[in-house]
Every structure is written in C-alpha cells, then in structure tokens.
Amino acid sequence: MVQAYILIQTEVGKATAVAETIAQIDGVVLAEDVTGPYDVIVRAEAQSVDELGKLVVAQIQLVEGITRTLTCPVVHL
C-alpha cells in the first residue's frame, strides 16, 4: 500500500467545495481545507505508485477549482 499527502491550491473561495468533492473519491482517506500556502490537504492511498499517480491525475486534478497540486508520498525510514 502506498500512501501520500496531496497539497492543493485552489481558486479563491473554492477550498471547502474542493475538499468536500475530493473526500468522495475512492482512495481518499481524508480531505481537509487548511490555512497557509495550500488550501486543501488530502491523505490518499493506493495499491502502487502507478495507481496513486492515476488517482491524482485522472481524478483529483480534474476537480473544478484546483489550480495546483503537490504529491508527497509517505516514506518509512
């Protein structure tokens, strides 16, 4: 299982709607709107890095109101 945090910037005033929409996507564990340089932080999981990439590119990035994403895979050192 691959897990990642996805940091999302949104259009002004869209953070709550983006977080609510993303929370409904299969593979998303948690989606919360936050303050700071990013507007939404998502915790997601997938079976592989390829599946995680597909989740981000084919589903999350298509949500209306998103302007930029940064995917940070979780590592266990």
Side-chain angles (χ1 to χ4, degrees):
M1 182 72 56
V2 177
Q3 299 174 328
Y5 288 97
I6 304 162
L7 311 177
I8 299 172
Q9 292 177 335
T10 69
E11 296 172 3
V12 174
K14 300 281 186 172
T16 300
V18 166
E20 289 173 353
T21 301
I22 290 174
Q24 302 304 312
I25 296 173
D26 195 34
V28 171
V29 176
L30 183 65
E32 296 184 299
D33 36 331
V34 297
T35 60
Y38 293 93
D39 304 304
V40 176
I41 296 180
V42 173
R43 175 77 182 231
E45 58 186 24
Q47 291 297 320
S48 67
V49 172
D50 287 342
E51 290 299 317
L52 179 64
K54 290 176 187 174
L55 172 66
V56 173
V57 173
Q59 295 185 59
I60 292 175
Q61 288 183 347
L62 297 181
V63 172
E64 185 176 339
I66 292 177
T67 58
R68 173 179 244 160
T69 65
L70 174 66
T71 303
C72 304
V74 174
V75 296
H76 301 280
L77 303 174

Short mmCIF file of all heavy atoms in Angstrom, two decimals:
data_model
loop_
_atom_site.label_atom_id
_atom_site.label_comp_id
_atom_site.label_asym_id
_atom_site.label_seq_id
_atom_site.Cartn_x
_atom_site.Cartn_y
_atom_site.Cartn_z
N MET A 1 0.84 -1.18 0.00
CA MET A 1 0.00 0.00 0.00
C MET A 1 0.89 1.24 0.00
O MET A 1 1.82 1.35 0.79
CB MET A 1 -0.89 -0.02 1.24
CG MET A 1 -1.87 1.12 1.36
SD MET A 1 -3.27 1.12 0.26
CE MET A 1 -4.04 -0.44 0.57
N VAL A 2 0.62 2.17 -0.90
CA VAL A 2 1.33 3.44 -0.99
C VAL A 2 0.41 4.53 -0.46
O VAL A 2 -0.76 4.60 -0.84
CB VAL A 2 1.72 3.76 -2.46
CG1 VAL A 2 2.39 5.10 -2.56
CG2 VAL A 2 2.59 2.66 -3.02
N GLN A 3 0.94 5.36 0.42
CA GLN A 3 0.16 6.47 0.98
C GLN A 3 0.85 7.78 0.63
O GLN A 3 2.07 7.82 0.47
CB GLN A 3 0.03 6.33 2.49
CG GLN A 3 -0.67 5.05 2.90
CD GLN A 3 -0.67 4.86 4.39
OE1 GLN A 3 0.27 5.27 5.06
NE2 GLN A 3 -1.70 4.22 4.90
N ALA A 4 0.06 8.85 0.53
CA ALA A 4 0.63 10.15 0.20
C ALA A 4 -0.24 11.27 0.75
O ALA A 4 -1.45 11.09 0.96
CB ALA A 4 0.76 10.32 -1.31
N TYR A 5 0.40 12.40 0.97
CA TYR A 5 -0.32 13.63 1.24
C TYR A 5 -0.31 14.42 -0.06
O TYR A 5 0.72 14.50 -0.74
CB TYR A 5 0.35 14.45 2.34
CG TYR A 5 0.17 13.84 3.70
CD1 TYR A 5 1.15 13.03 4.26
CD2 TYR A 5 -1.00 14.04 4.42
CE1 TYR A 5 0.99 12.45 5.49
CE2 TYR A 5 -1.18 13.47 5.67
CZ TYR A 5 -0.18 12.68 6.20
OH TYR A 5 -0.36 12.10 7.43
N ILE A 6 -1.44 14.98 -0.42
CA ILE A 6 -1.54 15.79 -1.63
C ILE A 6 -1.90 17.20 -1.18
O ILE A 6 -2.95 17.41 -0.57
CB ILE A 6 -2.60 15.22 -2.60
CG1 ILE A 6 -2.25 13.76 -2.91
CG2 ILE A 6 -2.66 16.06 -3.87
CD1 ILE A 6 -3.40 12.97 -3.47
N LEU A 7 -1.00 18.14 -1.46
CA LEU A 7 -1.20 19.53 -1.09
C LEU A 7 -1.82 20.24 -2.29
O LEU A 7 -1.31 20.13 -3.41
CB LEU A 7 0.13 20.16 -0.71
CG LEU A 7 0.98 19.35 0.29
CD1 LEU A 7 2.31 20.04 0.52
CD2 LEU A 7 0.23 19.15 1.59
N ILE A 8 -2.91 20.96 -2.04
CA ILE A 8 -3.68 21.52 -3.15
C ILE A 8 -3.88 23.01 -2.97
O ILE A 8 -4.26 23.47 -1.89
CB ILE A 8 -5.06 20.82 -3.24
CG1 ILE A 8 -4.85 19.33 -3.50
CG2 ILE A 8 -5.92 21.46 -4.32
CD1 ILE A 8 -6.13 18.52 -3.43
N GLN A 9 -3.65 23.75 -4.05
CA GLN A 9 -4.01 25.16 -4.11
C GLN A 9 -5.27 25.27 -4.94
O GLN A 9 -5.42 24.57 -5.96
CB GLN A 9 -2.89 25.99 -4.73
CG GLN A 9 -1.66 26.04 -3.86
CD GLN A 9 -0.50 26.80 -4.50
OE1 GLN A 9 -0.42 26.90 -5.72
NE2 GLN A 9 0.39 27.30 -3.67
N THR A 10 -6.18 26.14 -4.50
CA THR A 10 -7.46 26.30 -5.19
C THR A 10 -7.68 27.75 -5.59
O THR A 10 -6.98 28.65 -5.15
CB THR A 10 -8.64 25.87 -4.30
OG1 THR A 10 -8.79 26.81 -3.23
CG2 THR A 10 -8.45 24.47 -3.74
N GLU A 11 -8.70 27.94 -6.41
CA GLU A 11 -9.15 29.29 -6.71
C GLU A 11 -9.70 29.90 -5.42
O GLU A 11 -10.13 29.17 -4.51
CB GLU A 11 -10.24 29.25 -7.77
CG GLU A 11 -9.77 28.72 -9.11
CD GLU A 11 -10.92 28.50 -10.09
OE1 GLU A 11 -12.08 28.82 -9.76
OE2 GLU A 11 -10.64 27.99 -11.18
N VAL A 12 -9.69 31.21 -5.33
CA VAL A 12 -10.16 31.91 -4.14
C VAL A 12 -11.61 31.50 -3.85
O VAL A 12 -12.46 31.49 -4.74
CB VAL A 12 -10.07 33.44 -4.32
CG1 VAL A 12 -10.70 34.16 -3.15
CG2 VAL A 12 -8.62 33.86 -4.51
N GLY A 13 -11.86 31.13 -2.58
CA GLY A 13 -13.21 30.78 -2.15
C GLY A 13 -13.66 29.38 -2.50
O GLY A 13 -14.82 29.03 -2.25
N LYS A 14 -12.80 28.55 -3.06
CA LYS A 14 -13.20 27.21 -3.51
C LYS A 14 -12.70 26.07 -2.61
O LYS A 14 -13.02 24.91 -2.86
CB LYS A 14 -12.68 26.95 -4.93
CG LYS A 14 -13.18 27.92 -5.97
CD LYS A 14 -14.57 27.56 -6.39
CE LYS A 14 -14.99 28.46 -7.56
NZ LYS A 14 -16.23 28.05 -8.13
N ALA A 15 -11.94 26.38 -1.57
CA ALA A 15 -11.30 25.33 -0.77
C ALA A 15 -12.30 24.34 -0.17
O ALA A 15 -12.10 23.13 -0.26
CB ALA A 15 -10.44 25.94 0.33
N THR A 16 -13.35 24.83 0.43
CA THR A 16 -14.33 23.94 1.07
C THR A 16 -15.00 23.03 0.06
O THR A 16 -15.11 21.82 0.27
CB THR A 16 -15.37 24.75 1.85
OG1 THR A 16 -14.69 25.51 2.86
CG2 THR A 16 -16.38 23.83 2.53
N ALA A 17 -15.42 23.58 -1.06
CA ALA A 17 -16.08 22.78 -2.10
C ALA A 17 -15.12 21.74 -2.68
O ALA A 17 -15.50 20.59 -2.91
CB ALA A 17 -16.62 23.68 -3.21
N VAL A 18 -13.86 22.12 -2.88
CA VAL A 18 -12.86 21.18 -3.40
C VAL A 18 -12.64 20.05 -2.41
O VAL A 18 -12.64 18.88 -2.78
CB VAL A 18 -11.54 21.91 -3.72
CG1 VAL A 18 -10.40 20.94 -3.94
CG2 VAL A 18 -11.71 22.81 -4.95
N ALA A 19 -12.47 20.37 -1.12
CA ALA A 19 -12.24 19.35 -0.10
C ALA A 19 -13.43 18.39 -0.02
O ALA A 19 -13.25 17.17 0.09
CB ALA A 19 -11.98 20.00 1.25
N GLU A 20 -14.65 18.93 -0.07
CA GLU A 20 -15.84 18.07 0.00
C GLU A 20 -15.94 17.14 -1.20
O GLU A 20 -16.28 15.98 -1.06
CB GLU A 20 -17.09 18.94 0.11
CG GLU A 20 -17.22 19.64 1.46
CD GLU A 20 -18.36 20.64 1.51
OE1 GLU A 20 -19.00 20.92 0.46
OE2 GLU A 20 -18.61 21.17 2.61
N THR A 21 -15.63 17.65 -2.37
CA THR A 21 -15.68 16.83 -3.58
C THR A 21 -14.62 15.74 -3.55
O THR A 21 -14.89 14.57 -3.84
CB THR A 21 -15.50 17.71 -4.84
OG1 THR A 21 -16.53 18.68 -4.87
CG2 THR A 21 -15.55 16.87 -6.11
N ILE A 22 -13.40 16.11 -3.18
CA ILE A 22 -12.30 15.14 -3.15
C ILE A 22 -12.54 14.06 -2.10
O ILE A 22 -12.19 12.91 -2.30
CB ILE A 22 -10.96 15.86 -2.93
CG1 ILE A 22 -10.59 16.67 -4.17
CG2 ILE A 22 -9.84 14.87 -2.61
CD1 ILE A 22 -9.38 17.53 -4.02
N ALA A 23 -13.15 14.41 -1.00
CA ALA A 23 -13.41 13.44 0.07
C ALA A 23 -14.26 12.27 -0.41
O ALA A 23 -14.20 11.19 0.17
CB ALA A 23 -14.07 14.14 1.26
N GLN A 24 -15.02 12.46 -1.48
CA GLN A 24 -15.89 11.42 -2.02
C GLN A 24 -15.18 10.47 -2.98
O GLN A 24 -15.74 9.45 -3.39
CB GLN A 24 -17.09 12.06 -2.73
CG GLN A 24 -17.92 12.99 -1.86
CD GLN A 24 -18.43 12.31 -0.61
OE1 GLN A 24 -18.98 11.21 -0.67
NE2 GLN A 24 -18.24 12.95 0.54
N ILE A 25 -13.95 10.78 -3.36
CA ILE A 25 -13.21 9.97 -4.33
C ILE A 25 -12.65 8.72 -3.64
O ILE A 25 -12.06 8.80 -2.56
CB ILE A 25 -12.07 10.79 -4.97
CG1 ILE A 25 -12.65 11.95 -5.78
CG2 ILE A 25 -11.19 9.90 -5.85
CD1 ILE A 25 -11.62 12.92 -6.32
N ASP A 26 -12.83 7.57 -4.28
CA ASP A 26 -12.31 6.31 -3.76
C ASP A 26 -10.79 6.35 -3.69
O ASP A 26 -10.13 6.73 -4.66
CB ASP A 26 -12.78 5.16 -4.66
CG ASP A 26 -12.60 3.81 -4.02
OD1 ASP A 26 -12.75 3.71 -2.79
OD2 ASP A 26 -12.29 2.85 -4.74
N GLY A 27 -10.23 6.01 -2.55
CA GLY A 27 -8.79 6.07 -2.35
C GLY A 27 -8.38 7.26 -1.49
O GLY A 27 -7.26 7.31 -0.99
N VAL A 28 -9.29 8.21 -1.32
CA VAL A 28 -9.02 9.37 -0.46
C VAL A 28 -9.43 9.00 0.96
O VAL A 28 -10.57 8.62 1.21
CB VAL A 28 -9.77 10.62 -0.96
CG1 VAL A 28 -9.66 11.75 0.06
CG2 VAL A 28 -9.23 11.06 -2.31
N VAL A 29 -8.49 9.11 1.88
CA VAL A 29 -8.74 8.79 3.28
C VAL A 29 -9.29 10.01 4.01
O VAL A 29 -10.19 9.90 4.83
CB VAL A 29 -7.44 8.30 3.96
CG1 VAL A 29 -7.64 8.05 5.43
CG2 VAL A 29 -6.91 7.07 3.25
N LEU A 30 -8.75 11.19 3.69
CA LEU A 30 -9.12 12.41 4.39
C LEU A 30 -8.86 13.60 3.48
O LEU A 30 -7.85 13.62 2.77
CB LEU A 30 -8.29 12.55 5.67
CG LEU A 30 -8.55 13.72 6.59
CD1 LEU A 30 -9.96 13.62 7.19
CD2 LEU A 30 -7.53 13.75 7.70
N ALA A 31 -9.74 14.58 3.48
CA ALA A 31 -9.54 15.83 2.73
C ALA A 31 -10.02 16.97 3.61
O ALA A 31 -11.18 17.00 4.01
CB ALA A 31 -10.30 15.80 1.42
N GLU A 32 -9.11 17.88 3.92
CA GLU A 32 -9.46 18.99 4.81
C GLU A 32 -8.96 20.30 4.23
O GLU A 32 -7.87 20.37 3.67
CB GLU A 32 -8.85 18.79 6.19
CG GLU A 32 -9.39 17.56 6.90
CD GLU A 32 -8.86 17.43 8.30
OE1 GLU A 32 -7.63 17.30 8.45
OE2 GLU A 32 -9.67 17.45 9.23
N ASP A 33 -9.77 21.37 4.40
CA ASP A 33 -9.29 22.68 4.00
C ASP A 33 -8.49 23.26 5.17
O ASP A 33 -8.82 23.06 6.33
CB ASP A 33 -10.41 23.61 3.52
CG ASP A 33 -11.72 23.48 4.25
OD1 ASP A 33 -12.03 22.39 4.75
OD2 ASP A 33 -12.45 24.48 4.33
N VAL A 34 -7.39 23.93 4.82
CA VAL A 34 -6.44 24.44 5.80
C VAL A 34 -6.04 25.87 5.44
O VAL A 34 -6.36 26.36 4.36
CB VAL A 34 -5.18 23.54 5.86
CG1 VAL A 34 -5.54 22.14 6.34
CG2 VAL A 34 -4.47 23.48 4.53
N THR A 35 -5.29 26.51 6.33
CA THR A 35 -4.74 27.83 6.02
C THR A 35 -3.26 27.68 5.70
O THR A 35 -2.64 26.67 6.03
CB THR A 35 -4.91 28.80 7.21
OG1 THR A 35 -4.21 28.27 8.34
CG2 THR A 35 -6.38 28.98 7.56
N GLY A 36 -2.71 28.69 5.06
CA GLY A 36 -1.29 28.66 4.70
C GLY A 36 -1.13 28.68 3.20
O GLY A 36 -2.04 29.06 2.47
N PRO A 37 0.03 28.25 2.70
CA PRO A 37 0.29 28.33 1.26
C PRO A 37 -0.58 27.36 0.44
O PRO A 37 -0.74 27.54 -0.75
CB PRO A 37 1.77 27.98 1.13
CG PRO A 37 2.12 27.29 2.40
CD PRO A 37 1.19 27.80 3.45
N TYR A 38 -1.11 26.33 1.10
CA TYR A 38 -2.03 25.40 0.43
C TYR A 38 -3.40 25.54 1.05
O TYR A 38 -3.54 25.95 2.20
CB TYR A 38 -1.51 23.96 0.53
CG TYR A 38 -0.23 23.78 -0.25
CD1 TYR A 38 1.01 23.93 0.37
CD2 TYR A 38 -0.26 23.54 -1.62
CE1 TYR A 38 2.17 23.82 -0.36
CE2 TYR A 38 0.91 23.42 -2.35
CZ TYR A 38 2.12 23.56 -1.72
OH TYR A 38 3.27 23.46 -2.45
N ASP A 39 -4.42 25.23 0.27
CA ASP A 39 -5.79 25.42 0.70
C ASP A 39 -6.46 24.13 1.17
O ASP A 39 -7.38 24.16 1.98
CB ASP A 39 -6.61 26.03 -0.45
CG ASP A 39 -5.99 27.33 -0.93
OD1 ASP A 39 -5.81 28.24 -0.10
OD2 ASP A 39 -5.68 27.43 -2.13
N VAL A 40 -6.02 23.01 0.63
CA VAL A 40 -6.59 21.70 0.97
C VAL A 40 -5.43 20.71 1.11
O VAL A 40 -4.49 20.73 0.32
CB VAL A 40 -7.57 21.20 -0.12
CG1 VAL A 40 -8.08 19.81 0.20
CG2 VAL A 40 -8.73 22.17 -0.29
N ILE A 41 -5.51 19.86 2.13
CA ILE A 41 -4.56 18.75 2.29
C ILE A 41 -5.35 17.46 2.25
O ILE A 41 -6.35 17.31 2.95
CB ILE A 41 -3.74 18.86 3.58
CG1 ILE A 41 -2.88 20.11 3.54
CG2 ILE A 41 -2.88 17.61 3.76
CD1 ILE A 41 -2.03 20.32 4.76
N VAL A 42 -4.87 16.53 1.42
CA VAL A 42 -5.55 15.25 1.22
C VAL A 42 -4.61 14.12 1.65
O VAL A 42 -3.42 14.16 1.33
CB VAL A 42 -5.93 15.07 -0.27
CG1 VAL A 42 -6.49 13.68 -0.53
CG2 VAL A 42 -6.91 16.15 -0.68
N ARG A 43 -5.15 13.14 2.33
CA ARG A 43 -4.42 11.89 2.61
C ARG A 43 -5.04 10.83 1.72
O ARG A 43 -6.26 10.63 1.74
CB ARG A 43 -4.56 11.52 4.08
CG ARG A 43 -3.96 10.18 4.48
CD ARG A 43 -2.44 10.28 4.61
NE ARG A 43 -1.87 8.99 4.96
CZ ARG A 43 -1.04 8.78 5.95
NH1 ARG A 43 -0.66 9.78 6.71
NH2 ARG A 43 -0.56 7.58 6.18
N ALA A 44 -4.22 10.21 0.88
CA ALA A 44 -4.73 9.22 -0.07
C ALA A 44 -3.89 7.95 0.01
O ALA A 44 -2.75 7.97 0.47
CB ALA A 44 -4.68 9.78 -1.49
N GLU A 45 -4.47 6.85 -0.47
CA GLU A 45 -3.74 5.60 -0.52
C GLU A 45 -4.13 4.83 -1.77
O GLU A 45 -5.25 4.96 -2.27
CB GLU A 45 -3.95 4.76 0.74
CG GLU A 45 -5.38 4.40 1.04
CD GLU A 45 -5.54 3.69 2.37
OE1 GLU A 45 -4.67 3.86 3.26
OE2 GLU A 45 -6.53 2.97 2.52
N ALA A 46 -3.17 4.02 -2.25
CA ALA A 46 -3.39 3.22 -3.46
C ALA A 46 -2.52 1.97 -3.35
O ALA A 46 -1.62 1.89 -2.51
CB ALA A 46 -3.04 4.02 -4.70
N GLN A 47 -2.76 1.02 -4.23
CA GLN A 47 -2.02 -0.23 -4.21
C GLN A 47 -0.58 -0.10 -4.70
O GLN A 47 0.28 -0.88 -4.34
CB GLN A 47 -2.75 -1.30 -5.05
CG GLN A 47 -4.06 -1.75 -4.43
CD GLN A 47 -3.85 -2.42 -3.07
OE1 GLN A 47 -2.92 -3.19 -2.88
NE2 GLN A 47 -4.71 -2.11 -2.13
N SER A 48 -0.31 0.90 -5.55
CA SER A 48 1.03 1.09 -6.10
C SER A 48 1.25 2.57 -6.41
O SER A 48 0.31 3.37 -6.41
CB SER A 48 1.20 0.27 -7.38
OG SER A 48 0.36 0.78 -8.40
N VAL A 49 2.49 2.91 -6.72
CA VAL A 49 2.81 4.28 -7.11
C VAL A 49 2.06 4.65 -8.40
O VAL A 49 1.56 5.76 -8.55
CB VAL A 49 4.33 4.47 -7.28
CG1 VAL A 49 4.66 5.83 -7.86
CG2 VAL A 49 5.04 4.28 -5.95
N ASP A 50 1.97 3.70 -9.33
CA ASP A 50 1.25 3.95 -10.58
C ASP A 50 -0.23 4.24 -10.30
O ASP A 50 -0.81 5.16 -10.89
CB ASP A 50 1.37 2.77 -11.53
CG ASP A 50 2.75 2.66 -12.16
OD1 ASP A 50 3.50 3.66 -12.12
OD2 ASP A 50 3.09 1.58 -12.67
N GLU A 51 -0.83 3.46 -9.42
CA GLU A 51 -2.24 3.68 -9.08
C GLU A 51 -2.43 5.02 -8.37
O GLU A 51 -3.42 5.71 -8.59
CB GLU A 51 -2.78 2.53 -8.22
CG GLU A 51 -2.93 1.23 -8.97
CD GLU A 51 -3.90 1.32 -10.14
OE1 GLU A 51 -4.97 1.94 -9.99
OE2 GLU A 51 -3.58 0.80 -11.22
N LEU A 52 -1.48 5.39 -7.53
CA LEU A 52 -1.53 6.69 -6.87
C LEU A 52 -1.47 7.81 -7.90
O LEU A 52 -2.23 8.77 -7.84
CB LEU A 52 -0.40 6.82 -5.86
CG LEU A 52 -0.33 8.15 -5.11
CD1 LEU A 52 -1.56 8.33 -4.23
CD2 LEU A 52 0.94 8.22 -4.29
N GLY A 53 -0.58 7.67 -8.87
CA GLY A 53 -0.48 8.66 -9.94
C GLY A 53 -1.77 8.78 -10.72
O GLY A 53 -2.21 9.89 -11.04
N LYS A 54 -2.39 7.67 -11.02
CA LYS A 54 -3.67 7.69 -11.74
C LYS A 54 -4.75 8.37 -10.91
O LYS A 54 -5.57 9.13 -11.44
CB LYS A 54 -4.11 6.27 -12.09
CG LYS A 54 -3.26 5.63 -13.16
CD LYS A 54 -3.68 4.19 -13.41
CE LYS A 54 -2.72 3.49 -14.35
NZ LYS A 54 -3.01 2.07 -14.50
N LEU A 55 -4.75 8.11 -9.60
CA LEU A 55 -5.72 8.76 -8.71
C LEU A 55 -5.57 10.27 -8.76
O LEU A 55 -6.54 11.01 -8.89
CB LEU A 55 -5.53 8.24 -7.28
CG LEU A 55 -6.33 8.93 -6.18
CD1 LEU A 55 -7.82 8.70 -6.35
CD2 LEU A 55 -5.87 8.46 -4.81
N VAL A 56 -4.33 10.73 -8.68
CA VAL A 56 -4.08 12.18 -8.67
C VAL A 56 -4.41 12.80 -10.02
O VAL A 56 -5.16 13.78 -10.10
CB VAL A 56 -2.62 12.49 -8.27
CG1 VAL A 56 -2.32 13.98 -8.42
CG2 VAL A 56 -2.36 12.02 -6.83
N VAL A 57 -3.88 12.24 -11.10
CA VAL A 57 -4.02 12.86 -12.42
C VAL A 57 -5.42 12.68 -13.01
O VAL A 57 -5.99 13.61 -13.55
CB VAL A 57 -2.95 12.30 -13.38
CG1 VAL A 57 -3.17 12.79 -14.80
CG2 VAL A 57 -1.56 12.69 -12.90
N ALA A 58 -5.97 11.49 -12.89
CA ALA A 58 -7.25 11.20 -13.56
C ALA A 58 -8.48 11.57 -12.73
O ALA A 58 -9.57 11.64 -13.28
CB ALA A 58 -7.31 9.72 -13.92
N GLN A 59 -8.31 11.78 -11.42
CA GLN A 59 -9.48 12.08 -10.61
C GLN A 59 -9.35 13.38 -9.81
O GLN A 59 -10.17 14.28 -9.96
CB GLN A 59 -9.77 10.91 -9.67
CG GLN A 59 -10.16 9.65 -10.43
CD GLN A 59 -10.56 8.54 -9.48
OE1 GLN A 59 -11.48 8.69 -8.70
NE2 GLN A 59 -9.83 7.45 -9.52
N ILE A 60 -8.31 13.47 -9.00
CA ILE A 60 -8.20 14.64 -8.12
C ILE A 60 -7.95 15.91 -8.91
O ILE A 60 -8.62 16.93 -8.70
CB ILE A 60 -7.12 14.40 -7.05
CG1 ILE A 60 -7.59 13.30 -6.09
CG2 ILE A 60 -6.79 15.69 -6.30
CD1 ILE A 60 -6.58 12.87 -5.05
N GLN A 61 -7.01 15.90 -9.84
CA GLN A 61 -6.69 17.13 -10.59
C GLN A 61 -7.83 17.60 -11.47
O GLN A 61 -7.82 18.75 -11.91
CB GLN A 61 -5.42 16.94 -11.43
CG GLN A 61 -4.16 16.88 -10.58
CD GLN A 61 -2.91 16.77 -11.42
OE1 GLN A 61 -2.94 16.49 -12.61
NE2 GLN A 61 -1.77 16.96 -10.78
N LEU A 62 -8.81 16.76 -11.72
CA LEU A 62 -9.95 17.16 -12.55
C LEU A 62 -11.04 17.88 -11.77
O LEU A 62 -11.99 18.39 -12.36
CB LEU A 62 -10.54 15.93 -13.26
CG LEU A 62 -9.59 15.23 -14.25
CD1 LEU A 62 -10.30 14.05 -14.89
CD2 LEU A 62 -9.09 16.20 -15.30
N VAL A 63 -10.91 17.94 -10.45
CA VAL A 63 -11.92 18.61 -9.64
C VAL A 63 -11.89 20.11 -9.94
O VAL A 63 -10.82 20.73 -9.93
CB VAL A 63 -11.68 18.34 -8.13
CG1 VAL A 63 -12.60 19.19 -7.27
CG2 VAL A 63 -11.87 16.86 -7.83
N GLU A 64 -13.06 20.66 -10.19
CA GLU A 64 -13.17 22.08 -10.53
C GLU A 64 -12.72 22.95 -9.35
O GLU A 64 -13.08 22.69 -8.21
CB GLU A 64 -14.61 22.42 -10.88
CG GLU A 64 -14.79 23.84 -11.35
CD GLU A 64 -16.21 24.13 -11.79
OE1 GLU A 64 -16.95 23.19 -12.11
OE2 GLU A 64 -16.57 25.32 -11.79
N GLY A 65 -11.89 23.94 -9.64
CA GLY A 65 -11.42 24.88 -8.63
C GLY A 65 -9.98 24.67 -8.22
O GLY A 65 -9.40 25.50 -7.54
N ILE A 66 -9.38 23.54 -8.63
CA ILE A 66 -7.98 23.28 -8.29
C ILE A 66 -7.06 23.99 -9.28
O ILE A 66 -7.27 23.93 -10.49
CB ILE A 66 -7.68 21.76 -8.31
CG1 ILE A 66 -8.41 21.07 -7.17
CG2 ILE A 66 -6.18 21.50 -8.23
CD1 ILE A 66 -8.24 19.56 -7.14
N THR A 67 -6.04 24.66 -8.75
CA THR A 67 -5.07 25.33 -9.62
C THR A 67 -3.72 24.63 -9.62
O THR A 67 -2.98 24.73 -10.59
CB THR A 67 -4.88 26.80 -9.22
OG1 THR A 67 -4.44 26.86 -7.86
CG2 THR A 67 -6.18 27.58 -9.37
N ARG A 68 -3.38 23.91 -8.52
CA ARG A 68 -2.08 23.24 -8.46
C ARG A 68 -2.11 22.16 -7.38
O ARG A 68 -2.75 22.31 -6.36
CB ARG A 68 -1.01 24.28 -8.12
CG ARG A 68 0.35 23.70 -7.86
CD ARG A 68 1.34 24.79 -7.57
NE ARG A 68 2.32 24.71 -8.66
CZ ARG A 68 3.12 25.67 -9.00
NH1 ARG A 68 3.07 26.82 -8.42
NH2 ARG A 68 3.99 25.48 -9.96
N THR A 69 -1.37 21.07 -7.65
CA THR A 69 -1.23 20.01 -6.64
C THR A 69 0.25 19.67 -6.45
O THR A 69 1.06 19.85 -7.36
CB THR A 69 -1.98 18.72 -7.04
OG1 THR A 69 -1.39 18.15 -8.21
CG2 THR A 69 -3.46 18.97 -7.27
N LEU A 70 0.56 19.17 -5.27
CA LEU A 70 1.89 18.67 -4.96
C LEU A 70 1.70 17.37 -4.19
O LEU A 70 1.09 17.36 -3.12
CB LEU A 70 2.66 19.67 -4.10
CG LEU A 70 4.03 19.22 -3.59
CD1 LEU A 70 5.00 19.01 -4.74
CD2 LEU A 70 4.58 20.23 -2.61
N THR A 71 2.18 16.26 -4.74
CA THR A 71 2.00 14.95 -4.12
C THR A 71 3.25 14.58 -3.34
O THR A 71 4.36 14.60 -3.87
CB THR A 71 1.70 13.88 -5.20
OG1 THR A 71 0.54 14.28 -5.93
CG2 THR A 71 1.47 12.53 -4.56
N CYS A 72 3.07 14.24 -2.06
CA CYS A 72 4.17 13.90 -1.16
C CYS A 72 3.96 12.47 -0.65
O CYS A 72 3.22 12.26 0.32
CB CYS A 72 4.20 14.86 0.01
SG CYS A 72 4.32 16.60 -0.44
N PRO A 73 4.59 11.48 -1.27
CA PRO A 73 4.44 10.10 -0.80
C PRO A 73 5.00 9.93 0.62
O PRO A 73 6.01 10.55 0.99
CB PRO A 73 5.27 9.28 -1.79
CG PRO A 73 5.39 10.16 -3.00
CD PRO A 73 5.41 11.55 -2.48
N VAL A 74 4.35 9.10 1.40
CA VAL A 74 4.79 8.79 2.75
C VAL A 74 5.90 7.75 2.66
O VAL A 74 5.77 6.76 1.92
CB VAL A 74 3.62 8.24 3.59
CG1 VAL A 74 4.10 7.77 4.96
CG2 VAL A 74 2.52 9.31 3.73
N VAL A 75 6.99 7.97 3.39
CA VAL A 75 8.08 7.00 3.43
C VAL A 75 8.27 6.54 4.88
O VAL A 75 7.99 7.28 5.81
CB VAL A 75 9.41 7.59 2.89
CG1 VAL A 75 9.29 7.92 1.42
CG2 VAL A 75 9.84 8.80 3.68
N HIS A 76 8.73 5.32 5.02
CA HIS A 76 9.01 4.77 6.35
C HIS A 76 10.50 4.46 6.40
O HIS A 76 10.95 3.47 5.81
CB HIS A 76 8.17 3.52 6.60
CG HIS A 76 6.71 3.80 6.50
ND1 HIS A 76 6.00 4.38 7.53
CD2 HIS A 76 5.82 3.60 5.50
CE1 HIS A 76 4.73 4.51 7.16
NE2 HIS A 76 4.61 4.06 5.94
N LEU A 77 11.26 5.30 7.06
CA LEU A 77 12.72 5.16 7.10
C LEU A 77 13.16 4.37 8.32
O LEU A 77 12.55 4.30 9.30
CB LEU A 77 13.39 6.53 7.12
CG LEU A 77 13.02 7.43 5.93
CD1 LEU A 77 13.62 8.80 6.10
CD2 LEU A 77 13.50 6.81 4.64
#
